[in-house]
Amino acid sequence: MTDFKTLIKTIVAPLVEYPEAIRIEKNETDRFYEFQLFVDSKDVGRVIGKQGHVAQAIRTIVYSVRVQGPKRVRLVINDSAK
Amino acid sequence: MTIFKGATVEAAIEAGLSTLQLNRDHAQISVEVQPRRGFLGIGKRLAEVNITKVAKSTEKSNTVKKASNEPKTVSQEKATPSSKHTRSKSNEQAVAELEDYLADVIEQLGVDATSDTELVSRQVTIRYTTEDEGLLIGKHGRTINALQSLAQIYLNHKGAAHLEVELDVSGYRERRAETLTRLADNMAREVVASGKPVYLDPMPAFERKQIHSTLGQNHHVITYSAGKEPRRAVVIAPKL
């Protein structure tokens, strides 16, 4: 299985001001592999983008990776840490 | 003053310079005879150039002058960097960084792809060649379009927002353009026949644009877009 954490980090790191603040946590539920993306509070807007365009592009790419089994991947951008 | 021959002007100059052991900067080169390819070896003519050793001070203007009617000479290529602005330098750098970024992401996706980049004024085109075409393109080009918008976002973030980027995988864009033209024509015919407007599937802006321009000259239908991004779609309606 592709390393989702590395993939997400590769995509997101060049788009933010504080790449060192990026943190990704993996949760496995019975239906999803859920990845929580934490970025610096000043960078949340950059990762989401106008109308969520950036977030949408990131998600599309992350979801394009094929995973074995019935579970799907889900990327959650954590914007509550303000 | 010596005359040298070669299949091309460039080859003749090359041969002459190496025989005389001269640097191009120290030689005055004039083309005596332009080469001809001929047909099946008939009418073939070798290029002849005249090379003279010159002092350093006069040589520059001479070589450049001679180069101007010879599109392939090196001296002309040398002249280009000096005419470049710092802006295009930074553009090239931004594009190179973008290429690295995309290469990283694509590698992480587990796709083996080679890229070929072209930068024409403000339009960046990166073409990928790969075995896993489908994986990189995605359903209806979803993945490659996402990568393309990501590439644009990256450039904007790097302060090169004036550059417009297009990604292509093994001629996908061209194939898609053909499909869109065909779809537009078929749908326009249907609209004219039924007299009712038709909504196409949602498409990204640049694909809608292709449909609009295809049907722009059509006198029987009008086109407009309806809905909100990302589910904005072209509507083809009969002209009243």
Side-chain angles (χ1 to χ4, degrees):
Chain A
M1 193 171 104
T2 323
D3 189 351
F4 279 98
K5 283 192 184 181
T6 330
L7 171 64
I8 296 167
K9 198 156 185 179
T10 319
I11 296 174
V12 174
L15 304 178
V16 297
E17 292 287 282
Y18 308 97
E20 62 283 350
I22 297 174
R23 191 160 51 85
I24 300 157
E25 277 172 21
K26 184 183 175 180
N27 296 318
E28 206 176 325
T29 63
D30 49 347
R31 290 184 61 201
F32 295 99
Y33 297 106
E34 192 176 272
F35 292 89
Q36 290 244 8
L37 172 65
F38 296 88
V39 292
D40 191 286
S41 59
K42 292 187 197 103
D43 278 332
V44 172
R46 287 197 180 84
V47 175
I48 295 173
K50 252 188 221 165
Q51 312 284 324
H53 277 173
V54 182
Q56 199 197 11
I58 296 170
R59 287 208 176 103
T60 312
I61 292 168
V62 172
Y63 298 168
S64 77
V65 178
R66 284 179 193 141
V67 260
Q68 295 290 317
K71 288 192 191 181
R72 302 189 60 187
V73 178
R74 180 192 256 177
L75 175 64
V76 178
I77 297 167
N78 200 306
D79 60 352
S80 57
K82 273 181 184 170
Chain B
M1 198 149 166
T2 333
I3 291 185
F4 292 92
K5 293 185 180 187
T8 64
V9 171
E10 195 52 29
I13 294 172
E14 216 51 63
L17 291 177
S18 65
T19 319
L20 294 176
Q21 303 206 313
L22 281 178
N23 195 327
R24 200 180 286 263
D25 294 343
H26 297 280
Q28 183 190 333
I29 301 165
S30 61
V31 181
E32 299 291 323
V33 179
Q34 286 282 351
R36 261 196 213 149
R37 261 271 197 56
F39 181 68
L40 299 173
I42 302 161
K44 190 169 156 187
R45 199 166 68 180
L46 290 180
E48 287 180 27
V49 294
N50 199 336
I51 300 179
T52 319
K53 189 174 180 176
V54 286
K56 238 214 151 165
S57 54
T58 53
E59 107 297 310
K60 215 87 256 175
S61 58
N62 275 332
T63 18
V64 172
K65 235 178 228 163
K66 291 287 175 278
S68 60
N69 46 25
E70 264 318 301
K72 271 183 186 166
T73 47
V74 176
S75 38
Q76 210 179 24
E77 282 169 24
K78 266 185 209 153
T80 9
S82 62
S83 64
K84 261 176 194 158
H85 317 296
T86 42
R87 166 99 159 270
S88 62
K89 264 273 157 56
S90 71
N91 278 355
E92 273 166 32
Q93 203 195 335
V95 171
E97 283 171 14
L98 170 69
E99 231 180 314
D100 287 346
Y101 171 58
L102 291 175
D104 278 349
V105 175
I106 290 172
E107 195 198 319
Q108 289 287 327
L109 287 176
V111 177
D112 233 352
T114 51
S115 69
D116 173 35
T117 310
E118 200 184 323
L119 173 62
V120 182
S121 66
R122 290 179 171 187
Q123 175 73 42
V124 187
T125 314
I126 306 181
R127 297 189 182 84
Y128 289 96
T129 325
T130 176
E131 297 273 295
D132 296 321
E133 249 179 73
L135 205 59
L136 196 52
I137 295 173
K139 198 180 184 185
H140 298 309
R142 217 176 272 167
T143 311
I144 194 67
N145 288 345
L147 270 175
Q148 183 170 311
S149 45
L150 209 56
Q152 190 69 62
I153 292 157
Y154 180 83
L155 284 181
N156 296 352
H157 184 67
K158 292 280 167 191
H162 52 275
L163 291 175
E164 207 173 298
V165 65
E166 181 182 284
L167 303 186
D168 192 3
V169 181
S170 322
Y172 169 74
R173 296 279 181 224
E174 203 179 311
R175 292 202 303 270
R176 182 78 180 148
E178 273 170 37
T179 316
L180 289 178
T181 315
R182 213 167 38 227
L183 174 80
D185 288 338
N186 288 344
M187 282 311 184
R189 212 166 298 138
E190 205 163 291
V191 167
V192 172
S194 70
K196 282 178 189 158
V198 167
Y199 278 71
L200 300 185
D201 292 331
M203 283 173 204
F206 54 91
E207 291 189 0
R208 291 200 306 272
K209 191 174 171 184
Q210 283 175 15
I211 303 252
H212 288 310
S213 67
T214 308
L215 295 180
Q217 305 103 303
N218 193 318
H219 300 298
H220 310 292
V221 294
I222 51 165
T223 58
Y224 56 90
S225 296
K228 278 201 165 179
E229 292 280 8
R231 296 203 48 83
R232 204 163 158 77
V234 176
V235 182
I236 306 175
K239 213 178 233 178
L240 298 174

